[in-house]
Amino acid sequence: MSDLTDLYQSVILDHNKRPRNRGRPPTANRVATGDNPSCGDNCTVYLHLDPAGRVDAIGFDGSGCAISQASTSLMTTQVKGKTASEAEALFNEFKQIVTSGHPPEEMSDLAAFAGVHAFPARIKCATLGWHAALEAFKQPASA
Amino acid sequence: MSALLPASLRADFPILHQDVGGKPLVYLDNGATSQKPRAVIDALVRYYERDNSNVHRGLHALSMRATDGYEAARTRVARFIHAADPAEIIFTRGTTEGVNVVARSLAARLKPGDVILTTEIEHHSNLVPWQQAAKASGATIRYVPVLGTDAELGLDLDALDRLLTPQVKVFAFTHLSNTLGLMLDAAALCARARAVGAVTVIDAAQSVGHEPIDVQAIGCDFLVFSGHKMCGPTGIGVLYGRRALLDTLAPAETGGGMVVSVTYEGATWKPAPERFEAGTPNVADAIGLAAACDYLDAIGRPAISAHDHALAAKAHAALAELPGIRIIGPRLGQPRGGLVSFAFADAHAHDVVTFADQDGIALRGGHHCNQPLMRKLGITSTTRASFYLYNNEEEIDALVRSMHRILKFFAG
Ligand SMILES: Cc1ncc(COP(=O)(O)O)c(C=O)c1O
């Protein structure tokens, strides 16, 4: 059985305690919400894209467990400055990490989530905010 | 604690004697499903090894044995809830199917202007089928509100008086809330509903295996429950319906086994219970359920209830000491069931359940199929520890130790 300190790495505990980019940025004009119907957790991600299609403002709201809160917080820091396709590539890398448990060659904070793979029931928690963010990219910009 | 059952009962449940992740299993998720005693497992095996056959059709020895076993199970279940007549016992897949059958059958006679009354504390299973029945029939659905929060939570009985008008044709409510542990006075509620001529439907999923149930004393029209929460198998449940009412209802499903005569133009229905049991029934699990009734009645539900309550009281008192805890549900001494539902300021229910699992402890964390209620209470999830006849005081100690460890981790 995997150790809990593998799951709850200090990066995760830190993001859970002090979430980055919480709340709706004033310029945000794209929004999407993700729900985890099995547990009632939810997460709303707000975006604003610059003319080149890069995220220049991002924030999130919602409630959930330490894994989903930390993962969403970390996601916002990683997706800032990225285009939709770059964000998607990052998500694919993240999914790889949480399902295989193998962090990529060059270490990033995302690797902190490698421990999730030993807790399959929690993979959905880790990806909730990412799904909402990718959905937000696809939304039409509101005026 | 003198209210506790003998520890030797634990030996009746093979599954409890295992380690999970190197720790002895502490199973405190009985609200979701209970474990099965050897007697129930043996009844299933015996049926499949000796008697398995289709019922009500064959004239051979095995078919007659299977039919006898199935009908004896019906009689046994009738006795378990003090039904006047075994024909009032309809076997279903579980609580959810039972509610759906009643809701669909009653919807056929509802019309715009009629009201379906339920409460704000219902499990989705006793909520969504009524919303669908309202949509299908044009009737209006109304909810008896909950009042107060945390330990003060209760149904708003003044609002109930206002809501129970002659337009109310159905009043569906839970006997024991799976999220709060709140117990309703079923007999009193049925009396009030009867005064306006409403049909009553009780969700007894959480109560029937823990508390004595007498449908005639309660005075309900329908009562539904699942076998798997009362030491019986999964896939079997019961819809009790008052005989006079059952025979006036249209079947929710049609097919073989429930018809008197069929032509190319149409068919006529048998009376209850067959009218509501289209197709080959779940014979084996009905027989397993009867074995569960025998098992529970041999111990006695008053004794089981006292045991559950003693454990819940111990857990409640110890958990209440933890920093930042909210216990969501009636205080001790109020009408309640043997469970404790709680939320921590510093740790989310999912994290709590994952931690507890590492200590071998099975808990439930989430919205407990009760999303509208959780929204109203301003929480997204709680952690629930629910107790049954095989749990003991050492397991409560393990639970409390585990919760201390979690809080230290997340506060640290
Ligand atoms: C109060 C209550 N009603 C209904 C149900 C649904 O039971 P089942 O899933 O066995 O149909 C449950 C169990 O989860 C319950 O606790």
Side-chain angles (χ1 to χ4, degrees), chain B residues 316-404:
Chain B
H316 197 288
L319 292 171
E321 303 284 313
L322 295 171
I325 194 169
R326 269 178 79 181
I327 297 183
I328 316 284
R331 62 179 89 257
L332 298 171
Q334 297 296 307
R336 70 190 321 286
L339 64 87
V340 185
S341 204
F342 52 94
F344 292 119
D346 288 335
H348 186 278
H350 272 178
D351 301 313
V352 173
V353 171
T354 296
F355 257 79
D357 184 48
Q358 298 290 297
D359 292 335
I361 304 173
L363 298 174
R364 181 65 173 267
H367 56 57
H368 312 290
C369 292
N370 225 314
Q371 288 178 15
L373 176 64
M374 302 297 267
R375 224 169 277 134
K376 172 150 184 174
L377 299 178
I379 42 182
T380 52
S381 57
T382 73
T383 303
R384 180 185 70 189
S386 47
F387 310 109
Y388 210 5
L389 56 98
Y390 36 72
N391 292 126
N392 59 38
E393 292 189 279
E394 290 73 50
E395 292 178 308
I396 308 291
D397 294 336
L399 168 70
V400 174
R401 268 197 312 275
S402 185
M403 296 300 110
H404 271 292

Side-chain angles (χ1 to χ4, degrees), chain B residues 31 94-96 123 125 174 176 178 203 205-206 226 228-229:
Chain B
T95 307
T96 304
H123 187 281
S125 290
T174 187
L176 175 53
N178 60 305
D203 170 357
Q206 290 292 336
S226 304
H228 68 93
K229 293 182 202 279

Side-chain angles (χ1 to χ4, degrees), chain B residues 247-264:
Chain B
D247 286 339
T248 68
L249 284 186
E253 286 186 355
T254 55
M258 52 78 68
V259 285
V260 177
S261 93
V262 182
T263 65
Y264 286 118

Side-chain angles (χ1 to χ4, degrees), chain B residues 47-60:
Chain B
Y47 171 77
Y48 280 123
E49 287 186 351
R50 296 206 322 227
D51 304 329
N52 176 55
S53 184
N54 211 323
V55 290
H56 300 311
R57 321 202 166 160
L59 293 174
H60 54 81

Side-chain angles (χ1 to χ4, degrees), chain A residues 1-2 4 8 13 17 37 39-41 63-66 119 122, chain B residues 21 348 350-351 354-355 358 366-367 371 380 405 409-412:
Chain A
M1 179 130 291
S2 207
L4 281 168
Y8 295 98
L13 291 176
K17 271 223 149 135
C39 60
D41 286 359
S63 64
C65 61
F119 299 83
R122 306 301 297 278
Chain B
H348 186 278
H350 272 178
D351 301 313
T354 296
F355 257 79
Q358 298 290 297
H367 56 57
Q371 288 178 15
T380 52
R405 200 167 72 82
F409 185 87
F410 280 98

